[in-house]
Amino acid sequence: MKPTAILRRTSVRTLLATGLVTSLALVSGCAKSEDDADQDKSSTSQGDPGQVVASPSAGAGPTCAIDAYGGKKIDLKTATVGFSQSEKEANPFRIAETASIKAEAQKRGVKLLTSNAQSQFSKQISDVQDLIAKGADLLVIAPLNSDGWEPVLRSASAKHIPIVTIDRKINAAACKDYVSFIGSDFVEQGKRAADQMIEATGGKGEIAILLGAAGNNVTTERTKGFEDRVKEKAPGLKIVFKQTGEFAREKGQSVTENLIQSKPGITGIYAENDEMGLGAVNALKGAGKKPGAVKIVTIDGTRNAVQGIVDGWIDGVIESNPRFGPLAFQTLDSFTQGDKVAQDIVIEDSAYTTDNAKSELGKAY
């Protein structure tokens, strides 16, 4: 995937590979984690930045059309769409993602079947097969893992069911096993996180990486982007610790508690999602550290993490926009009408810094 272009937080528009430009409605309803239910709800009225396809997009990569895929044209308004969520919705990213899919289906009057794998890959496989058995004509999948999808792909292929994956890729053949992947440039996210870490630390010191869950492309690519950029731009910044926090706040906290004991002079922590970064903040508070004593950079753009910048605990957050509903349904609509769509639809992501965190807090989810 190519690096994203200049960031824009304008109206949502879909730019597919044939040059099709379609205006998409914004999905409101910023979401919070379960333990944030009582927080200020004003963010829902302050505007939703939506998703914008990275430019250039038209003609920039392989495309898929329904004839090549082996399916048939369907009127999306009369179709049944199945959505498979991968993780339990204690994570604000997952809450916002599911809310976006449901809101767009409701807006379009499309029948939607949903399931949640509760972070269990075997359950997600059976969930999707169940969606197929219940009559899903189209599938939107947020994969937990990148590998192991063969049973689902065989079942979907037998019925010529188009599949769009969002936020994580599956290791399969585009326009054969699935139609399109919609998501961020995760290598670029890692690079941008490294840039923020370099700025926060002055390019010197010892840093740790709280890795995401194993077995998916997000973790692999966010790590690669970060490490490559640090090696390129800041040889004085040494990565001395790497351990998975499994994209979970509690795990991020426990790993950081161990980190503080084993590496008391740690300069910075790169958390590959906000939840782990917030866990790291909890660990630092528990150890009596002051805000800013250890530099923290994360990826996602949740409200709590952006508030962490305002409060001085977090130094930067690279956005990973979870509002896939409009873009996912527009892609399915275009595809089922016979239009070509891009096999990789890469979205632009913004960033939160000490300069804009307070003013942009309402756009976080």
Side-chain angles (χ1 to χ4, degrees):
M1 291 184 283
K2 298 181 179 180
T4 55
I6 298 174
L7 300 173
R8 294 166 290 172
R9 300 179 68 85
T10 54
S11 61
V12 181
R13 61 183 183 277
T14 307
L15 184 56
L16 301 175
T18 56
L20 175 66
V21 180
T22 306
S23 296
L24 300 173
L26 299 178
V27 178
S28 62
C30 296
K32 300 176 177 66
S33 62
E34 292 170 348
D35 59 347
D36 302 325
D38 297 328
Q39 282 196 2
D40 176 29
K41 298 178 181 178
S42 64
S43 62
T44 59
S45 64
Q46 293 187 32
D48 184 338
Q51 289 180 331
V52 178
V53 177
S55 180
S57 180
T63 62
C64 188
I66 203 160
D67 291 342
Y69 190 77
K72 60 181 180 181
K73 293 183 180 180
I74 306 171
D75 184 348
L76 186 61
K77 292 181 180 178
T78 62
T80 297
V81 176
F83 172 59
S84 171
Q85 179 57 274
S86 57
E87 299 176 13
K88 59 184 179 180
E89 293 178 10
N91 184 328
F93 183 97
R94 297 299 167 187
I95 298 172
E97 183 176 64
T98 297
S100 178
I101 295 291
K102 288 181 176 179
E104 187 65 16
Q106 182 178 23
K107 176 189 167 186
R108 290 172 175 263
V110 175
K111 181 179 180 181
L112 181 70
L113 304 175
T114 64
S115 63
N116 190 303
Q118 300 295 318
S119 303
Q120 301 172 46
F121 185 61
S122 60
K123 184 178 185 307
Q124 187 167 36
I125 295 299
S126 62
D127 281 350
V128 180
Q129 290 175 322
D130 188 51
L131 292 173
I132 293 172
K134 288 179 177 177
D137 302 300
L138 307 161
L139 290 169
V140 178
I141 300 174
L144 182 64
N145 294 340
S146 296
D147 292 319
W149 284 94
E150 291 78 10
V152 163
L153 299 178
R154 285 194 297 268
S155 299
S157 177
K159 295 188 175 183
H160 303 291
I161 298 174
I163 297 173
V164 167
T165 72
I166 58 174
D167 82 61
R168 292 177 185 171
K169 278 190 171 184
I170 60 174
N171 291 328
C175 206
K176 177 184 177 184
D177 298 317
Y178 68 96
V179 174
S180 298
F181 160 73
I182 306 173
S184 299
D185 184 335
F186 304 116
V187 172
E188 184 67 11
Q189 286 180 339
K191 289 180 178 180
R192 294 171 64 206
D195 288 338
Q196 290 197 348
M197 182 62 77
I198 292 167
E199 181 176 354
T201 60
K204 296 180 180 180
E206 295 185 342
I207 55 174
I209 300 178
L210 300 185
L211 301 167
N216 66 79
N217 68 303
V218 177
T219 297
T220 302
E221 294 176 16
R222 284 179 180 172
T223 304
K224 174 177 171 53
F226 186 86
E227 291 181 333
D228 286 352
R229 184 59 61 89
V230 167
K231 183 178 179 180
E232 172 194 355
K233 289 193 170 182
L237 204 56
K238 305 298 182 184
I239 299 170
V240 298
F241 179 96
K242 290 192 293 185
Q243 187 172 326
T244 181
E246 298 175 2
F247 286 136
R249 189 181 302 192
E250 297 80 4
K251 184 70 172 180
Q253 179 172 341
S254 64
V255 170
T256 304
E257 287 169 347
N258 293 332
L259 167 66
I260 295 168
Q261 294 296 319
S262 62
K263 303 285 185 182
I266 199 73
T267 305
I269 297 172
Y270 163 47
E272 292 185 340
N273 83 335
D274 284 356
E275 285 296 284
M276 293 189 296
L278 291 166
V281 170
N282 289 340
L284 293 171
K285 288 179 178 179
K289 300 288 186 180
K290 300 296 183 182
V294 177
K295 307 302 181 182
I296 298 177
V297 174
T298 72
I299 297 177
D300 265 350
T302 64
R303 188 176 180 86
N304 277 347
V306 179
Q307 183 65 50
I309 300 177
V310 176
D311 295 340
W313 284 100
I314 295 176
D315 293 87
V317 176
I318 303 301
E319 182 193 46
S320 195
N321 195 325
R323 301 173 179 96
F324 287 94
L327 192 50
F329 277 88
Q330 181 56 54
T331 301
L332 288 174
D333 195 16
S334 298
F335 179 77
T336 55
Q337 288 182 34
D339 296 326
K340 293 180 180 179
V341 297
Q343 293 178 16
D344 283 315
I345 301 174
V346 183
I347 62 173
E348 293 181 351
D349 293 309
S350 187
Y352 297 95
T353 68
T354 54
D355 293 331
N356 70 1
K358 190 172 183 179
S359 62
E360 298 284 281
L361 182 60
K363 294 180 181 179
Y365 53 89

